[in-house]
Amino acid sequence: MATAGSGGDGETETSSLHLEAEWPNLGDKKRMISSGNPFEYLVETLVCSPDKTFFNISKLQGTEYDALPYCIRVVLETVVRNCDGVLVKEDDAMKVLKWNTNCECQEIPFLPARVVLQDFTGIPAMVDYAAMRDAMKKLDRDPKLVNPACPTDLIVDHSLQLDFTKCSAAQTGSTASSIDSPRQSSKLPPAKPASTKSHCRGQSSCKGACDSGSTSQSSREQIENTPMLCPFHLQPIPEPEAALKSLELEFNRNKERLQFFKWCSKAFKNVTVIPPETGTVHQVNLEYLSRLVMEKEGFLYPDSVLGTDSHTTMVNGLGILGLGFGGIESEAAMLGIPISLNLPEVVGCEVTGSVSQLSTSIDVVLSITKHLRQADLSGRFVEFFGEGVSQLSVVDRTTIANMCPEYGATVAFFPVDQVTLSHLKQTGVDEQRLRVFEAYMKAVKLLKEENSTTIPRYSKVLEINLNTIVPYVSGPKRPQDRVSVTDMKKDFETCLNEKVGSRGFHIPAERQKLEVSVTYKSSEYMLSHGSVLIAAVISCTNNCNPSVMLTAGLLAKKAVEAGLKVKPYIRTSLSPGSGTVTHYLTASGVLPFLNQLGFDIFGYGCSRCVSNTNPLPEEIVTAIKEGDLVACGVFSGNKHFEGSRCSCIRANYLASPPLVVAYALAGTVNIDLQTDALGFNSRGEKVFLRDIWPTREEVLQVEENLIIPSMFKELKIKIEKQNTRWNLLDSPESTLFPWDLRSTYIRSPPFFSRLDKVPAPPPAIERAHVLLYLGDSVTTDHISPAGSISRTSPAAKYLIQRKYVLLSKHFM
């Protein structure tokens, strides 16, 4: 993590730490311009609002500026505004202006308008700031001076452990349990242990210690969030009780983390903490935190964001430059230190045509992903233009922008246009602010005019015709392997034949038609290659898109009305990115039908995509292993890897939410959705997908009636009023954080233990070497899972030895 220190009065300071009283961007309106900024002559007053000022960068060598891609214009404004001659120099602005000749060979300093942190990276970042305050106190300086220099938003909700769903409730006496140990913190007490009493109710299928009604000492001394004895005894709990119980356990399990976050919200200036039960980071960033145009004491500048979540790029669909970086770079930006950014090539993507009737925005995303993946876009920006862009709503654009990591780009940027401004009006931005936004964007030429024929100069141009896009899924092992829905059955059978590799499973021909009988809940089912075991609409990618989610809801409604059902052993779930999704699913009347098919809302956050899934029925797992079947999971996220959800599920497919519902109804991916029936109605008649698939007109009509300011107004009210659990949560009131020396989670880092008023020079780095040299498709999900941690791993052994944890990981 970035570290910093400060000397006392009259002492030399390290450049890493900028005290609030000394930071040039914090102060009156004049101090919004760095002292000695050579571009001060570009500051103008906004014509429609004389109390607003801004850097009119369009007057900086106009002809060259007009040729810049819109995303590079945002970078240029940031460099010009922060030019102080030290961290950001005049020559850096000239490099950006000469972008076309300097790209990929020049580095420039970039300081975003704000920083967004999710929970995992927010903890170490804010712990560092808490430690800085301790260091300031040690050096006899005011610790209250330590605050982020760059506005920082920290979203508490991100990772979500599945404990309860409607069809499969969590383990009894389980997840809120903590170590039965006398070593409890007096400062930050852990969650109250839940009862360890077994509630298996004598079910014969239980083979654990709960049969005897006894609880051993070792079973009580277990890691918090570890299932008690009988992990496959799941009690049916009606939704929304399932969501309420999951949220309650989340608060208990993560109490130490939440208390620390709440202390941060009170102790630090320039930090906004978004409380739990609100939404996952990229959704909240898009729906609530994004400003489009930032204003500080009357000074206007474009919104830009540096985020530690891979989905930060979603806001590029709104015309906001969003970059995903790691914790070190984000902490540097929080300290007011620009990150080093290579001037990228910008690939122009010309969009023509319009979307076909059956294609969703996910189909557009997967098509663009495959097209752009072939273009070698690593480290490059992509900017969309052309007549087809106007056919895409803002929610479509954000879905496409969110997928840019999958095709290797750093940014997928949609310039602000009238569609963007209309969307902002629809979401409740008042007209006066919109007029200011539009006037400013026009003045600095960041608004894409409808009748403009001027096309920026791009590094190269690709073309995508929307008319050619048909529904696709992605899989079975890699997200870049796209399969047309019409070819799904044939492709899956091909994968069964192929040798084990990036696609194949090498199943002998004589075993490819194998069916295994299994009895589950007193009913007999037949499992085969391609059987769907998990069908999840998760929060990663597309829940921000009403058209996609409403299509899934309307499909569920028609399926229920036709008498179709999902087999009970299939783990279905619905995890929206924010409460906005719940709002329009409820208002449209489709949520009850999703519930009837098992797609219950259990909470808001990442779950299936980080392996936080409730266990599959033991009978089903046994049948899959005994038959060596290639079982499948279907997800509406943006990433998957073989075995990342469940070891017995070897084939994983990414699909749009309505197709997730469709394959759940079919119970298999080994089906031709055009010619094969999904099931039978009450009269014994075959029901095909075409019979229940809603038309685009149906979806559009519902969407137009729902995308109204009240939806986003409700979200804002929810965030601003917070919630009862968060409001009642105890947290320290002190300026310095009271560290608990026995905690294994919130620990003071040792960076400042030897800090002197005059910092010693950094030591030489000698004999450094590579720690890991990895092949393709190895990710942090394999190295350090965000979900489950094996009981036999060194980390689990360490925590068990400590017998005291407050860790929001799930140990299997």
Side-chain angles (χ1 to χ4, degrees), residues 516-668:
V516 178
S517 176
V518 59
T519 300
Y520 179 68
K521 291 187 176 181
S522 303
S523 297
E524 185 176 359
Y525 301 94
M526 302 302 295
L527 299 178
S528 60
H529 295 294
S531 290
V532 173
L533 298 188
I534 297 179
V537 177
I538 59 181
S539 61
C540 287
T541 303
N542 45 60
N543 289 345
C544 66
N545 195 319
S547 64
V548 175
M549 294 299 294
L550 288 173
T551 301
L554 292 172
L555 179 66
K557 179 176 182 294
K558 291 189 174 186
V560 171
E561 291 172 346
L564 298 181
K565 296 180 180 180
V566 175
K567 294 179 177 63
Y569 59 79
I570 298 176
R571 290 294 181 245
T572 51
S573 60
L574 171 59
S575 174
S578 77
T580 301
V581 181
T582 305
H583 175 88
Y584 64 68
L585 289 179
T586 303
S588 62
V590 300
L591 188 57
F593 298 99
L594 285 165
N595 294 161
Q596 288 185 56
L597 296 182
F599 290 93
D600 302 290
I601 295 176
F602 57 82
Y604 304 92
C606 292
S607 53
R608 306 284 187 185
C609 58
V610 293
S611 307
N612 287 341
T613 179
N614 48 308
L616 296 170
E618 187 174 3
E619 305 94 320
I620 303 299
V621 173
T622 300
I624 293 295
K625 290 182 177 180
E626 290 179 352
D628 191 26
L629 299 178
V630 179
C632 299
V634 188
F635 311 87
S636 65
N638 76 333
K639 68 174 182 178
H640 64 69
F641 303 96
E642 185 179 12
S644 63
R645 270 80 178 198
C646 179
S647 59
C648 65
I649 295 180
R650 295 153 65 183
N652 292 290
Y653 288 92
L654 303 181
S656 64
L659 284 178
V660 172
V661 175
Y663 281 114
L665 290 167
T668 179

Side-chain angles (χ1 to χ4, degrees), residues 345-356:
E345 288 188 2
V346 180
V347 176
C349 183
E350 184 176 10
V351 183
T352 59
S354 57
V355 182
S356 62

Side-chain angles (χ1 to χ4, degrees), residues 129-150:
Y129 269 88
M132 288 183 208
R133 287 200 164 188
D134 291 343
M136 289 288 282
K137 179 70 173 178
K138 179 181 177 182
L139 296 174
D140 297 324
R141 297 290 300 272
D142 185 1
K144 291 183 179 179
L145 292 174
V146 177
N147 296 286
C150 183

Side-chain angles (χ1 to χ4, degrees), residues 86-236:
V86 181
L87 296 176
V88 184
K89 300 179 180 179
E90 183 177 3
D91 184 55
D92 294 320
M94 294 301 104
K95 289 178 184 178
V96 180
L97 193 62
K98 306 287 185 181
W99 158 82
N100 204 35
T101 57
N102 290 325
C103 59
E104 292 201 324
C105 64
Q106 297 283 351
E107 289 187 356
I108 53 100
F110 177 79
L111 187 63
R114 55 191 176 91
V115 172
V116 169
L117 302 174
Q118 42 98 320
D119 55 351
F120 286 153
T121 52
I123 282 285
M126 299 314 300
V127 161
D128 284 354
Y129 269 88
M132 288 183 208
R133 287 200 164 188
D134 291 343
M136 289 288 282
K137 179 70 173 178
K138 179 181 177 182
L139 296 174
D140 297 324
R141 297 290 300 272
D142 185 1
K144 291 183 179 179
L145 292 174
V146 177
N147 296 286
C150 183
T152 301
D153 301 311
L154 195 159
I155 290 84
V156 174
D157 279 343
H158 182 66
S159 58
L160 181 66
Q161 175 66 43
L162 270 69
D163 292 296
F164 295 93
T165 64
K166 182 174 181 179
C167 297
S168 56
Q171 301 80 342
T172 60
S174 63
T175 48
S177 300
S178 61
I179 300 301
D180 186 11
S181 169
R183 296 186 297 166
Q184 304 295 338
S185 167
S186 60
K187 298 175 182 178
L188 293 175
K192 182 180 179 181
S195 171
T196 59
K197 182 179 178 181
S198 172
H199 297 282
C200 294
R201 298 176 182 175
Q203 298 181 42
S204 59
S205 61
C206 181
K207 303 301 180 184
C210 48
D211 272 343
S212 62
S214 64
T215 303
S216 66
Q217 175 68 17
S218 61
S219 69
R220 290 195 298 270
E221 292 185 346
Q222 59 180 318
I223 296 170
E224 182 180 0
N225 191 31
T226 303
M228 293 291 293
L229 299 176
C230 187
F232 296 106
H233 265 159
L234 307 176
Q235 303 176 50

